[in-house]
Each structure stands twice: as structure tokens, then as C-alpha cells.
Amino acid sequence: MATRTDQVVGFGLVVFSLVIFIYYTIWVIILPFIDSDHIIHTYFLPREYAIIIPLAAGLVLLLFVGLFITYVMLKNRKPAKKTN
């Protein structure tokens, strides 16, 4: 059973993910249909960043996954046997 701290951290992560998802959805799907002089455009970055930011985040994620796999493989490597 999860402790109260685990539940609070999990809830916080879910809320954070939900906020990011809603922000990105509004930014990418709804914002192009709103006039560019509307006040809501001041709360969002230019649309080019809608592609650049997730792409950079994905590349960083792949880098860390690759580093983790490399670390685990090097750590678990068995020493070579010496033959006479």
C-alpha cells in the first residue's frame, strides 16, 4: 500500500501532467483558430516552439535512456576468463 507521501507526489505528478497537456492542446489545436491580435496569444510562445520543445525533450529522454542502458550493461559485464 502506498504511503501518504507517495499518494501526494503521485497526485502532484498527475495534476502537473494534466496542466501541461491542456496547455499544449490549447496551444496547438485551438490557438490557430483564434485571431492573432487576441489577448490570449500573449500567454503562449510562438507556434514554432510547439514542435521544437517536444522534439528536444524527446531527444533528451532518449539520451538518458541510452546512458542508463549503457551504465547497466557496463556494470553487469563479467570479467573475461584468462586462459593459459
Side-chain angles (χ1 to χ4, degrees):
M1 182 107 188
T3 64
R4 182 71 179 149
T5 305
D6 292 338
Q7 291 176 345
V8 169
V9 169
F11 181 75
L13 289 172
V14 168
V15 168
F16 178 73
S17 299
L18 186 62
V19 167
I20 295 296
F21 177 76
I22 290 171
Y23 179 85
Y24 189 77
T25 302
I26 291 171
W27 185 21
V28 172
I29 296 176
I30 297 173
L31 209 59
F33 297 107
I34 299 174
D35 293 332
S36 58
D37 59 344
H38 196 275
I39 190 74
I40 197 168
H41 281 276
T42 59
Y43 298 108
F44 295 90
L45 293 171
R47 273 187 237 142
E48 296 84 29
Y49 291 107
I51 300 299
I52 294 171
I53 291 173
L55 182 65
L59 289 174
V60 168
L61 177 68
L62 284 175
L63 173 70
F64 282 118
V65 167
L67 288 174
F68 176 75
I69 290 171
T70 303
Y71 172 75
V72 169
M73 289 180 69
L74 290 175
K75 183 180 171 190
N76 293 331
R77 185 171 39 156
K78 295 180 181 177
K81 294 182 180 179
K82 293 183 179 180
T83 58
N84 291 333

